Amino acid sequence: MINHNKKYNVVLVYAPTTKSDKSAEGEFLSLAEASGISHSILFKTTVRKINPRFYIGAGKIEELKVLVSDQKPDAIIFANHLAPTQERNIQNEVNCPVIDRTRLILDIFAQRAQTYEGKIQVELAQLKHLSTRLVRGWTHLERQKGGIGLRGPGETQLETDRRLIGKRIKKLNEKLSKIVIRRDRELLRRGKNLLDTVSIVGYTNAGKTTLFNRLCNENAFAEDLLFATLDSKVRSLNLAKDEKILISDTVGFVSDLPIDLIASFKTTLNEAIHASVLLHVIDLSDKFWEEKMKYVNKVLKDIGAHQIPQICIFNKIDICDDEVLLDAADFGFKDKVFISAEIGTGLQNLIGLIRKKINDEKIISNELEKHLA
């Protein structure tokens, strides 16, 4: 975990396996910024063939060693997901702590988690990731509330660490299971009250929380940072007189999101899985919005939410030129709306479209029930 109480002299290693576009590099730098890194050096190289020992080539490792010797950084952060052996080999070779993309994202999530559930999910993902690494110094877990057994006779420190991590993972899974039961009861209660749920999804920093705040008159934390907010929130929204729905804000997606993190946040993502309609927020000012939209849809498919009806929300139109708006207008979405969540443009059109979409889906559902009866 990065200590955020001090300034870091960090080497950021960007090493794509192909000639990458600027979006991937920019996202990596944004992730570093979101983690709180204020001073860094960028080391760039293209990897034609992944080195099983170091990921990057041996020659580049030598260059990195020289850079580390000269700059004496506190850490090296890779834009890539590294295998445990690669992370360890690089660290031993250059004599500097190494953090890969997964640990960087987990560190950001650890900072952002505010609720009991969010903190459990982040810690669970961290421990699952660390369990694949050769780690030391986990005996502090013995002091966790509930108590974890002391080292048995004849155990090595590594065996003790693994056992302690395993027990902590089991305990966290038990706590998360109780949360899942409560969530399922809440979803059942919503169904009995006939309240439709609309879930806001999208790439991180697309403006989901700003939209949520606008629609629900909330003041949830929203900032121009990746993963500015993490914990899901559910509030009511009046579409019209005597017509109320629930609206939820979910965690933002990012490319190559760690598998353990997606698995750990399954309870949070359930808000999307059980929604009547998804509001897919897209940052139209981002020239790579199509690529990011496709990635969000891929994750939705992975979690089983791809069949849920979507409304495509092109956000941040206040900072887009006419050409961008015209291109998006021609994009093949049946249900789409153009808004600026920041200044409130287009929100009434969005509310009208949400109402129409929910009512249309109810008609389709009723007709299907009659057909099957």
PDB file of all heavy atoms in Angstrom, residues 284 289 311-318 320 324-331 336-341 344-350 353:
ATOM      1  N   LEU A 284     -18.828  12.294 -23.713  1.00  0.00           N
ATOM      2  CA  LEU A 284     -18.711  12.601 -25.139  1.00  0.00           C
ATOM      3  C   LEU A 284     -17.500  13.475 -25.439  1.00  0.00           C
ATOM      4  O   LEU A 284     -17.042  13.539 -26.579  1.00  0.00           O
ATOM      5  CB  LEU A 284     -19.997  13.276 -25.624  1.00  0.00           C
ATOM      6  CG  LEU A 284     -20.210  13.367 -27.140  1.00  0.00           C
ATOM      7  CD1 LEU A 284     -20.131  11.989 -27.788  1.00  0.00           C
ATOM      8  CD2 LEU A 284     -21.548  14.024 -27.448  1.00  0.00           C
ATOM      9  N   TRP A 289     -14.395   7.670 -26.516  1.00  0.00           N
ATOM     10  CA  TRP A 289     -15.628   7.247 -25.853  1.00  0.00           C
ATOM     11  C   TRP A 289     -16.197   5.949 -26.415  1.00  0.00           C
ATOM     12  O   TRP A 289     -16.762   5.141 -25.672  1.00  0.00           O
ATOM     13  CB  TRP A 289     -16.673   8.362 -25.894  1.00  0.00           C
ATOM     14  CG  TRP A 289     -17.197   8.752 -27.247  1.00  0.00           C
ATOM     15  CD1 TRP A 289     -16.778   9.775 -28.032  1.00  0.00           C
ATOM     16  CD2 TRP A 289     -18.277   8.129 -27.967  1.00  0.00           C
ATOM     17  NE1 TRP A 289     -17.502   9.836 -29.187  1.00  0.00           N
ATOM     18  CE2 TRP A 289     -18.445   8.849 -29.177  1.00  0.00           C
ATOM     19  CE3 TRP A 289     -19.129   7.060 -27.700  1.00  0.00           C
ATOM     20  CZ2 TRP A 289     -19.410   8.514 -30.123  1.00  0.00           C
ATOM     21  CZ3 TRP A 289     -20.093   6.717 -28.644  1.00  0.00           C
ATOM     22  CH2 TRP A 289     -20.221   7.436 -29.831  1.00  0.00           C
ATOM     23  N   ILE A 311     -30.425   3.064 -21.706  1.00  0.00           N
ATOM     24  CA  ILE A 311     -30.539   4.396 -22.289  1.00  0.00           C
ATOM     25  C   ILE A 311     -29.124   4.939 -22.391  1.00  0.00           C
ATOM     26  O   ILE A 311     -28.390   4.962 -21.399  1.00  0.00           O
ATOM     27  CB  ILE A 311     -31.405   5.333 -21.424  1.00  0.00           C
ATOM     28  CG1 ILE A 311     -32.863   4.857 -21.408  1.00  0.00           C
ATOM     29  CG2 ILE A 311     -31.337   6.771 -21.952  1.00  0.00           C
ATOM     30  CD1 ILE A 311     -33.753   5.660 -20.491  1.00  0.00           C
ATOM     31  N   CYS A 312     -28.737   5.328 -23.591  1.00  0.00           N
ATOM     32  CA  CYS A 312     -27.394   5.861 -23.812  1.00  0.00           C
ATOM     33  C   CYS A 312     -27.412   7.363 -23.509  1.00  0.00           C
ATOM     34  O   CYS A 312     -28.153   8.117 -24.155  1.00  0.00           O
ATOM     35  CB  CYS A 312     -26.973   5.595 -25.250  1.00  0.00           C
ATOM     36  SG  CYS A 312     -25.395   6.328 -25.682  1.00  0.00           S
ATOM     37  N   ILE A 313     -26.617   7.776 -22.547  1.00  0.00           N
ATOM     38  CA  ILE A 313     -26.585   9.183 -22.142  1.00  0.00           C
ATOM     39  C   ILE A 313     -25.248   9.792 -22.543  1.00  0.00           C
ATOM     40  O   ILE A 313     -24.205   9.489 -21.963  1.00  0.00           O
ATOM     41  CB  ILE A 313     -26.781   9.315 -20.615  1.00  0.00           C
ATOM     42  CG1 ILE A 313     -28.123   8.706 -20.207  1.00  0.00           C
ATOM     43  CG2 ILE A 313     -26.701  10.784 -20.192  1.00  0.00           C
ATOM     44  CD1 ILE A 313     -28.333   8.660 -18.711  1.00  0.00           C
ATOM     45  N   PHE A 314     -25.280  10.648 -23.564  1.00  0.00           N
ATOM     46  CA  PHE A 314     -24.080  11.356 -23.981  1.00  0.00           C
ATOM     47  C   PHE A 314     -23.930  12.598 -23.096  1.00  0.00           C
ATOM     48  O   PHE A 314     -24.698  13.548 -23.208  1.00  0.00           O
ATOM     49  CB  PHE A 314     -24.168  11.748 -25.452  1.00  0.00           C
ATOM     50  CG  PHE A 314     -24.028  10.588 -26.397  1.00  0.00           C
ATOM     51  CD1 PHE A 314     -25.090  10.167 -27.180  1.00  0.00           C
ATOM     52  CD2 PHE A 314     -22.819   9.907 -26.504  1.00  0.00           C
ATOM     53  CE1 PHE A 314     -24.955   9.101 -28.054  1.00  0.00           C
ATOM     54  CE2 PHE A 314     -22.673   8.832 -27.373  1.00  0.00           C
ATOM     55  CZ  PHE A 314     -23.740   8.425 -28.142  1.00  0.00           C
ATOM     56  N   ASN A 315     -22.940  12.545 -22.227  1.00  0.00           N
ATOM     57  CA  ASN A 315     -22.746  13.597 -21.228  1.00  0.00           C
ATOM     58  C   ASN A 315     -21.639  14.574 -21.650  1.00  0.00           C
ATOM     59  O   ASN A 315     -20.856  14.291 -22.545  1.00  0.00           O
ATOM     60  CB  ASN A 315     -22.403  12.944 -19.883  1.00  0.00           C
ATOM     61  CG  ASN A 315     -22.412  13.929 -18.734  1.00  0.00           C
ATOM     62  OD1 ASN A 315     -23.111  14.942 -18.770  1.00  0.00           O
ATOM     63  ND2 ASN A 315     -21.621  13.657 -17.716  1.00  0.00           N
ATOM     64  N   LYS A 316     -21.601  15.705 -20.965  1.00  0.00           N
ATOM     65  CA  LYS A 316     -20.592  16.759 -21.133  1.00  0.00           C
ATOM     66  C   LYS A 316     -20.691  17.460 -22.492  1.00  0.00           C
ATOM     67  O   LYS A 316     -19.680  17.847 -23.087  1.00  0.00           O
ATOM     68  CB  LYS A 316     -19.173  16.216 -20.896  1.00  0.00           C
ATOM     69  CG  LYS A 316     -19.011  15.510 -19.545  1.00  0.00           C
ATOM     70  CD  LYS A 316     -17.567  15.140 -19.252  1.00  0.00           C
ATOM     71  CE  LYS A 316     -17.456  14.366 -17.937  1.00  0.00           C
ATOM     72  NZ  LYS A 316     -16.070  13.999 -17.591  1.00  0.00           N
ATOM     73  N   ILE A 317     -21.923  17.604 -22.969  1.00  0.00           N
ATOM     74  CA  ILE A 317     -22.105  18.265 -24.273  1.00  0.00           C
ATOM     75  C   ILE A 317     -21.729  19.747 -24.217  1.00  0.00           C
ATOM     76  O   ILE A 317     -21.509  20.367 -25.267  1.00  0.00           O
ATOM     77  CB  ILE A 317     -23.552  18.119 -24.782  1.00  0.00           C
ATOM     78  CG1 ILE A 317     -24.547  18.780 -23.817  1.00  0.00           C
ATOM     79  CG2 ILE A 317     -23.904  16.654 -25.004  1.00  0.00           C
ATOM     80  CD1 ILE A 317     -25.965  18.863 -24.374  1.00  0.00           C
ATOM     81  N   ASP A 318     -21.655  20.300 -22.996  1.00  0.00           N
ATOM     82  CA  ASP A 318     -21.299  21.717 -22.858  1.00  0.00           C
ATOM     83  C   ASP A 318     -19.863  22.002 -23.253  1.00  0.00           C
ATOM     84  O   ASP A 318     -19.497  23.155 -23.498  1.00  0.00           O
ATOM     85  CB  ASP A 318     -21.555  22.200 -21.423  1.00  0.00           C
ATOM     86  CG  ASP A 318     -20.854  21.338 -20.394  1.00  0.00           C
ATOM     87  OD1 ASP A 318     -20.998  20.101 -20.467  1.00  0.00           O
ATOM     88  OD2 ASP A 318     -20.171  21.894 -19.502  1.00  0.00           O
ATOM     89  N   CYS A 320     -18.323  20.073 -25.798  1.00  0.00           N
ATOM     90  CA  CYS A 320     -18.110  19.380 -27.079  1.00  0.00           C
ATOM     91  C   CYS A 320     -18.423  20.316 -28.242  1.00  0.00           C
ATOM     92  O   CYS A 320     -19.326  21.148 -28.152  1.00  0.00           O
ATOM     93  CB  CYS A 320     -19.014  18.152 -27.173  1.00  0.00           C
ATOM     94  SG  CYS A 320     -18.641  16.865 -25.979  1.00  0.00           S
ATOM     95  N   VAL A 324     -18.535  16.785 -33.077  1.00  0.00           N
ATOM     96  CA  VAL A 324     -18.633  15.639 -32.170  1.00  0.00           C
ATOM     97  C   VAL A 324     -20.093  15.293 -31.897  1.00  0.00           C
ATOM     98  O   VAL A 324     -20.486  14.122 -31.894  1.00  0.00           O
ATOM     99  CB  VAL A 324     -17.897  15.942 -30.841  1.00  0.00           C
ATOM    100  CG1 VAL A 324     -18.172  14.853 -29.803  1.00  0.00           C
ATOM    101  CG2 VAL A 324     -16.395  16.062 -31.077  1.00  0.00           C
ATOM    102  N   LEU A 325     -20.917  16.316 -31.662  1.00  0.00           N
ATOM    103  CA  LEU A 325     -22.337  16.104 -31.389  1.00  0.00           C
ATOM    104  C   LEU A 325     -23.047  15.474 -32.575  1.00  0.00           C
ATOM    105  O   LEU A 325     -23.889  14.578 -32.415  1.00  0.00           O
ATOM    106  CB  LEU A 325     -23.002  17.434 -31.026  1.00  0.00           C
ATOM    107  CG  LEU A 325     -22.551  18.086 -29.710  1.00  0.00           C
ATOM    108  CD1 LEU A 325     -23.150  19.474 -29.577  1.00  0.00           C
ATOM    109  CD2 LEU A 325     -22.952  17.219 -28.525  1.00  0.00           C
ATOM    110  N   LEU A 326     -22.705  15.914 -33.796  1.00  0.00           N
ATOM    111  CA  LEU A 326     -23.333  15.357 -35.008  1.00  0.00           C
ATOM    112  C   LEU A 326     -22.946  13.901 -35.205  1.00  0.00           C
ATOM    113  O   LEU A 326     -23.780  13.066 -35.567  1.00  0.00           O
ATOM    114  CB  LEU A 326     -22.934  16.187 -36.229  1.00  0.00           C
ATOM    115  CG  LEU A 326     -23.598  17.567 -36.359  1.00  0.00           C
ATOM    116  CD1 LEU A 326     -22.951  18.360 -37.485  1.00  0.00           C
ATOM    117  CD2 LEU A 326     -25.107  17.417 -36.596  1.00  0.00           C
ATOM    118  N   ASP A 327     -21.668  13.578 -34.947  1.00  0.00           N
ATOM    119  CA  ASP A 327     -21.210  12.185 -35.085  1.00  0.00           C
ATOM    120  C   ASP A 327     -21.952  11.276 -34.106  1.00  0.00           C
ATOM    121  O   ASP A 327     -22.363  10.164 -34.457  1.00  0.00           O
ATOM    122  CB  ASP A 327     -19.704  12.102 -34.839  1.00  0.00           C
ATOM    123  CG  ASP A 327     -18.892  12.677 -35.991  1.00  0.00           C
ATOM    124  OD1 ASP A 327     -19.471  12.839 -37.090  1.00  0.00           O
ATOM    125  OD2 ASP A 327     -17.692  12.964 -35.800  1.00  0.00           O
ATOM    126  N   ALA A 328     -22.109  11.751 -32.870  1.00  0.00           N
ATOM    127  CA  ALA A 328     -22.798  10.947 -31.851  1.00  0.00           C
ATOM    128  C   ALA A 328     -24.283  10.804 -32.179  1.00  0.00           C
ATOM    129  O   ALA A 328     -24.888   9.764 -31.914  1.00  0.00           O
ATOM    130  CB  ALA A 328     -22.616  11.583 -30.470  1.00  0.00           C
ATOM    131  N   ALA A 329     -24.864  11.850 -32.760  1.00  0.00           N
ATOM    132  CA  ALA A 329     -26.291  11.820 -33.118  1.00  0.00           C
ATOM    133  C   ALA A 329     -26.565  10.727 -34.144  1.00  0.00           C
ATOM    134  O   ALA A 329     -27.654  10.142 -34.178  1.00  0.00           O
ATOM    135  CB  ALA A 329     -26.724  13.180 -33.652  1.00  0.00           C
ATOM    136  N   ASP A 330     -25.580  10.450 -35.001  1.00  0.00           N
ATOM    137  CA  ASP A 330     -25.728   9.416 -36.035  1.00  0.00           C
ATOM    138  C   ASP A 330     -25.444   8.018 -35.512  1.00  0.00           C
ATOM    139  O   ASP A 330     -25.614   7.035 -36.232  1.00  0.00           O
ATOM    140  CB  ASP A 330     -24.789   9.714 -37.211  1.00  0.00           C
ATOM    141  CG  ASP A 330     -25.239  10.938 -38.005  1.00  0.00           C
ATOM    142  OD1 ASP A 330     -26.447  11.246 -37.959  1.00  0.00           O
ATOM    143  OD2 ASP A 330     -24.380  11.586 -38.637  1.00  0.00           O
ATOM    144  N   PHE A 331     -24.964   7.940 -34.252  1.00  0.00           N
ATOM    145  CA  PHE A 331     -24.593   6.636 -33.701  1.00  0.00           C
ATOM    146  C   PHE A 331     -25.850   5.789 -33.502  1.00  0.00           C
ATOM    147  O   PHE A 331     -26.897   6.283 -33.099  1.00  0.00           O
ATOM    148  CB  PHE A 331     -23.861   6.812 -32.370  1.00  0.00           C
ATOM    149  CG  PHE A 331     -22.893   5.706 -32.080  1.00  0.00           C
ATOM    150  CD1 PHE A 331     -21.651   5.669 -32.685  1.00  0.00           C
ATOM    151  CD2 PHE A 331     -23.229   4.674 -31.211  1.00  0.00           C
ATOM    152  CE1 PHE A 331     -20.757   4.641 -32.422  1.00  0.00           C
ATOM    153  CE2 PHE A 331     -22.342   3.647 -30.934  1.00  0.00           C
ATOM    154  CZ  PHE A 331     -21.107   3.634 -31.544  1.00  0.00           C
ATOM    155  N   LYS A 336     -31.395   7.341 -26.827  1.00  0.00           N
ATOM    156  CA  LYS A 336     -30.231   8.133 -26.457  1.00  0.00           C
ATOM    157  C   LYS A 336     -30.661   9.555 -26.143  1.00  0.00           C
ATOM    158  O   LYS A 336     -31.701  10.038 -26.624  1.00  0.00           O
ATOM    159  CB  LYS A 336     -29.180   8.130 -27.563  1.00  0.00           C
ATOM    160  CG  LYS A 336     -29.661   8.675 -28.894  1.00  0.00           C
ATOM    161  CD  LYS A 336     -28.634   8.421 -29.986  1.00  0.00           C
ATOM    162  CE  LYS A 336     -29.212   8.777 -31.353  1.00  0.00           C
ATOM    163  NZ  LYS A 336     -28.365   8.340 -32.457  1.00  0.00           N
ATOM    164  N   VAL A 337     -29.860  10.214 -25.337  1.00  0.00           N
ATOM    165  CA  VAL A 337     -30.164  11.588 -24.956  1.00  0.00           C
ATOM    166  C   VAL A 337     -28.851  12.319 -24.730  1.00  0.00           C
ATOM    167  O   VAL A 337     -27.850  11.714 -24.329  1.00  0.00           O
ATOM    168  CB  VAL A 337     -31.049  11.607 -23.676  1.00  0.00           C
ATOM    169  CG1 VAL A 337     -30.322  11.016 -22.484  1.00  0.00           C
ATOM    170  CG2 VAL A 337     -31.542  13.003 -23.373  1.00  0.00           C
ATOM    171  N   PHE A 338     -28.848  13.599 -25.024  1.00  0.00           N
ATOM    172  CA  PHE A 338     -27.645  14.421 -24.875  1.00  0.00           C
ATOM    173  C   PHE A 338     -27.847  15.367 -23.685  1.00  0.00           C
ATOM    174  O   PHE A 338     -28.849  16.101 -23.634  1.00  0.00           O
ATOM    175  CB  PHE A 338     -27.397  15.223 -26.153  1.00  0.00           C
ATOM    176  CG  PHE A 338     -27.017  14.372 -27.334  1.00  0.00           C
ATOM    177  CD1 PHE A 338     -27.992  13.707 -28.068  1.00  0.00           C
ATOM    178  CD2 PHE A 338     -25.694  14.224 -27.697  1.00  0.00           C
ATOM    179  CE1 PHE A 338     -27.650  12.906 -29.142  1.00  0.00           C
ATOM    180  CE2 PHE A 338     -25.334  13.428 -28.775  1.00  0.00           C
ATOM    181  CZ  PHE A 338     -26.314  12.769 -29.500  1.00  0.00           C
ATOM    182  N   ILE A 339     -26.894  15.341 -22.753  1.00  0.00           N
ATOM    183  CA  ILE A 339     -27.043  16.147 -21.540  1.00  0.00           C
ATOM    184  C   ILE A 339     -25.714  16.764 -21.118  1.00  0.00           C
ATOM    185  O   ILE A 339     -24.645  16.403 -21.623  1.00  0.00           O
ATOM    186  CB  ILE A 339     -27.572  15.321 -20.355  1.00  0.00           C
ATOM    187  CG1 ILE A 339     -26.472  14.353 -19.840  1.00  0.00           C
ATOM    188  CG2 ILE A 339     -28.829  14.557 -20.701  1.00  0.00           C
ATOM    189  CD1 ILE A 339     -26.727  13.797 -18.470  1.00  0.00           C
ATOM    190  N   SER A 340     -25.817  17.681 -20.195  1.00  0.00           N
ATOM    191  CA  SER A 340     -24.660  18.131 -19.417  1.00  0.00           C
ATOM    192  C   SER A 340     -25.077  18.021 -17.956  1.00  0.00           C
ATOM    193  O   SER A 340     -25.853  18.850 -17.468  1.00  0.00           O
ATOM    194  CB  SER A 340     -24.259  19.571 -19.743  1.00  0.00           C
ATOM    195  OG  SER A 340     -23.306  20.026 -18.784  1.00  0.00           O
ATOM    196  N   ALA A 341     -24.608  16.979 -17.283  1.00  0.00           N
ATOM    197  CA  ALA A 341     -24.953  16.811 -15.871  1.00  0.00           C
ATOM    198  C   ALA A 341     -24.403  17.957 -15.038  1.00  0.00           C
ATOM    199  O   ALA A 341     -24.974  18.324 -14.009  1.00  0.00           O
ATOM    200  CB  ALA A 341     -24.408  15.476 -15.369  1.00  0.00           C
ATOM    201  N   GLY A 344     -26.865  20.917 -16.005  1.00  0.00           N
ATOM    202  CA  GLY A 344     -28.282  20.553 -15.987  1.00  0.00           C
ATOM    203  C   GLY A 344     -28.977  20.516 -17.327  1.00  0.00           C
ATOM    204  O   GLY A 344     -30.181  20.252 -17.392  1.00  0.00           O
ATOM    205  N   THR A 345     -28.262  20.724 -18.413  1.00  0.00           N
ATOM    206  CA  THR A 345     -28.865  20.701 -19.756  1.00  0.00           C
ATOM    207  C   THR A 345     -29.381  19.303 -20.102  1.00  0.00           C
ATOM    208  O   THR A 345     -28.666  18.313 -19.919  1.00  0.00           O
ATOM    209  CB  THR A 345     -27.834  21.130 -20.815  1.00  0.00           C
ATOM    210  OG1 THR A 345     -27.324  22.406 -20.479  1.00  0.00           O
ATOM    211  CG2 THR A 345     -28.459  21.165 -22.201  1.00  0.00           C
ATOM    212  N   GLY A 346     -30.616  19.245 -20.615  1.00  0.00           N
ATOM    213  CA  GLY A 346     -31.161  17.988 -21.122  1.00  0.00           C
ATOM    214  C   GLY A 346     -31.720  17.029 -20.086  1.00  0.00           C
ATOM    215  O   GLY A 346     -32.162  15.928 -20.431  1.00  0.00           O
ATOM    216  N   LEU A 347     -31.761  17.415 -18.809  1.00  0.00           N
ATOM    217  CA  LEU A 347     -32.209  16.482 -17.773  1.00  0.00           C
ATOM    218  C   LEU A 347     -33.707  16.169 -17.881  1.00  0.00           C
ATOM    219  O   LEU A 347     -34.123  15.046 -17.602  1.00  0.00           O
ATOM    220  CB  LEU A 347     -31.891  17.029 -16.385  1.00  0.00           C
ATOM    221  CG  LEU A 347     -30.404  17.096 -16.005  1.00  0.00           C
ATOM    222  CD1 LEU A 347     -30.251  17.416 -14.534  1.00  0.00           C
ATOM    223  CD2 LEU A 347     -29.687  15.789 -16.334  1.00  0.00           C
ATOM    224  N   GLN A 348     -34.515  17.153 -18.263  1.00  0.00           N
ATOM    225  CA  GLN A 348     -35.944  16.885 -18.426  1.00  0.00           C
ATOM    226  C   GLN A 348     -36.192  15.895 -19.559  1.00  0.00           C
ATOM    227  O   GLN A 348     -37.081  15.034 -19.462  1.00  0.00           O
ATOM    228  CB  GLN A 348     -36.697  18.202 -18.674  1.00  0.00           C
ATOM    229  CG  GLN A 348     -36.824  19.088 -17.442  1.00  0.00           C
ATOM    230  CD  GLN A 348     -37.427  18.374 -16.251  1.00  0.00           C
ATOM    231  OE1 GLN A 348     -38.461  17.696 -16.377  1.00  0.00           O
ATOM    232  NE2 GLN A 348     -36.792  18.490 -15.098  1.00  0.00           N
ATOM    233  N   ASN A 349     -35.410  16.017 -20.627  1.00  0.00           N
ATOM    234  CA  ASN A 349     -35.510  15.034 -21.729  1.00  0.00           C
ATOM    235  C   ASN A 349     -35.144  13.642 -21.237  1.00  0.00           C
ATOM    236  O   ASN A 349     -35.779  12.649 -21.621  1.00  0.00           O
ATOM    237  CB  ASN A 349     -34.589  15.431 -22.881  1.00  0.00           C
ATOM    238  CG  ASN A 349     -35.046  16.683 -23.594  1.00  0.00           C
ATOM    239  OD1 ASN A 349     -36.223  17.031 -23.551  1.00  0.00           O
ATOM    240  ND2 ASN A 349     -34.121  17.378 -24.246  1.00  0.00           N
ATOM    241  N   LEU A 350     -34.136  13.573 -20.390  1.00  0.00           N
ATOM    242  CA  LEU A 350     -33.698  12.286 -19.841  1.00  0.00           C
ATOM    243  C   LEU A 350     -34.798  11.681 -18.960  1.00  0.00           C
ATOM    244  O   LEU A 350     -35.107  10.489 -19.091  1.00  0.00           O
ATOM    245  CB  LEU A 350     -32.418  12.464 -19.030  1.00  0.00           C
ATOM    246  CG  LEU A 350     -31.945  11.232 -18.236  1.00  0.00           C
ATOM    247  CD1 LEU A 350     -31.699  10.047 -19.160  1.00  0.00           C
ATOM    248  CD2 LEU A 350     -30.687  11.564 -17.436  1.00  0.00           C
ATOM    249  N   LEU A 353     -37.483  10.284 -21.038  1.00  0.00           N
ATOM    250  CA  LEU A 353     -37.079   9.045 -21.711  1.00  0.00           C
ATOM    251  C   LEU A 353     -37.054   7.876 -20.730  1.00  0.00           C
ATOM    252  O   LEU A 353     -37.431   6.751 -21.083  1.00  0.00           O
ATOM    253  CB  LEU A 353     -35.695   9.233 -22.356  1.00  0.00           C
ATOM    254  CG  LEU A 353     -35.176   8.096 -23.235  1.00  0.00           C
ATOM    255  CD1 LEU A 353     -36.179   7.727 -24.329  1.00  0.00           C
ATOM    256  CD2 LEU A 353     -33.835   8.476 -23.858  1.00  0.00           C
TER     257      LEU A 353
END
